Structure formats: structure tokens, C-alpha cells
Amino acid sequence: MIFFNNQLMKTATELRLFMVVNAEAFTRYEDHEAGIYLQVYELIQSALEEDENPIGLIQDYLGVTYTLGDSINELTSFLFHTGEMMAALQDLKENWQVLDKTLPEDSLMFGGTSKEEATEIYAETTLRNYLEALSEVTHG
């Protein structure tokens, strides 16, 4: 099942960054964060399988220099510690803190994205457009 919640993912950028597949809906931020980590790992793995250069993509989209190893674990960890990802995750954490659990997950009261639109965005997510979305996140 694709975990999608308009209260937690209010914009197209947040949808791209925070939607993940999980057997059941998350009930707390920490589990959601772990799911995002796995999603990023899988996006990097897919990029490698398609002969893309994840290191080059990360450097180009985020304007950072990467000098660590080339394993998927190292790349995922590095990406998770960029200023953009940390800022995005902080926004997600704040959204979790004000989550109204009495509303349905796909409530159009927040964000207004339908489940069908969200599913389409999820299906089209690649490392390239994930990084593009991440590059739109501002951090202090």
C-alpha cells in the first residue's frame, strides 16, 4: 500500500518526497522516516540498475560535493544528511505533531491531492525527479 496523507504531504514536492510503500499506514513520524530512508535506498538502487550516475545526480541537483564511497548505503546515508533532506524531514516531523487523526488520510481538506493523483506521482518517482523535488526544499 502507498502511504499517502494530505495532512502530512501538503504540496506536490512533499508528496514526491514523503510517499512510500508500507504494509500499513504509519502511526508515528519515526516509522515514516524509516520508510523514506528505504525509499531513497531503492531509488538509488534503481538508478544504478538503469546505468544512471547517482553521485552525479546528487551533486548536480543539490550542489554538493560527494567524496565518500559508492555503495548504496553510503549514498543513502549521505543524502539523508544533506541540509535539504534534514529541512524536509523537519517539516514532516512538524506536520506529524499537528496531525488530526480523526480525519481520513486522503482528506482533501489539506493539500487537495486525490489518491489517484498521488498514486500517479508515486509511480513516476525516480531518483532524478526525487532529487529535483528535494532541491526545491529551502533550509537555513
Side-chain angles (χ1 to χ4, degrees):
M1 141 182 151
I2 297 173
F3 178 70
F4 158 68
N5 185 309
N6 271 316
Q7 290 184 69
L8 300 173
M9 305 162 210
K10 299 175 185 178
T11 67
T13 297
E14 289 178 346
L15 280 170
R16 177 92 54 207
L17 297 176
F18 303 146
M19 273 193 300
V20 296
V21 170
N22 201 52
E24 55 189 53
F26 295 111
T27 57
R28 60 191 199 122
Y29 165 77
E30 291 78 11
D31 295 332
H32 192 178
E33 179 185 37
I36 294 167
Y37 189 92
L38 291 173
Q39 167 80 356
V40 169
Y41 180 97
E42 290 170 357
L43 290 171
I44 292 170
Q45 184 176 39
S46 290
L48 286 168
E49 290 169 359
E50 294 174 17
D51 291 326
E52 292 220 50
N53 177 1
I55 294 171
L57 291 172
I58 291 168
Q59 291 182 144
D60 289 347
Y61 279 100
L62 302 182
V64 296
T65 301
Y66 181 82
T67 58
L68 302 173
D70 59 359
S71 77
I72 299 170
N73 284 326
E74 290 168 314
L75 287 165
T76 304
S77 181
F78 176 82
L79 189 55
F80 241 69
H81 290 92
T82 62
E84 290 83 358
M85 182 63 90
M86 293 177 79
L89 291 173
Q90 181 59 40
D91 289 345
L92 178 62
K93 188 173 191 174
E94 289 170 8
N95 290 346
W96 268 99
Q97 291 171 345
V98 296
L99 179 67
D100 181 350
K101 294 183 180 185
T102 64
L103 293 173
E105 291 173 8
D106 60 350
S107 170
L108 296 181
M109 182 174 170
F110 297 90
T113 303
S114 70
K115 196 144 195 128
E116 293 76 26
E117 290 173 292
T119 302
E120 187 175 317
I121 289 170
Y122 180 83
E124 295 172 352
T125 298
T126 63
L127 180 61
R128 183 177 297 275
N129 60 28
Y130 189 91
L131 290 169
E132 184 177 334
L134 190 58
S135 72
E136 296 172 10
V137 175
T138 57
H139 57 94

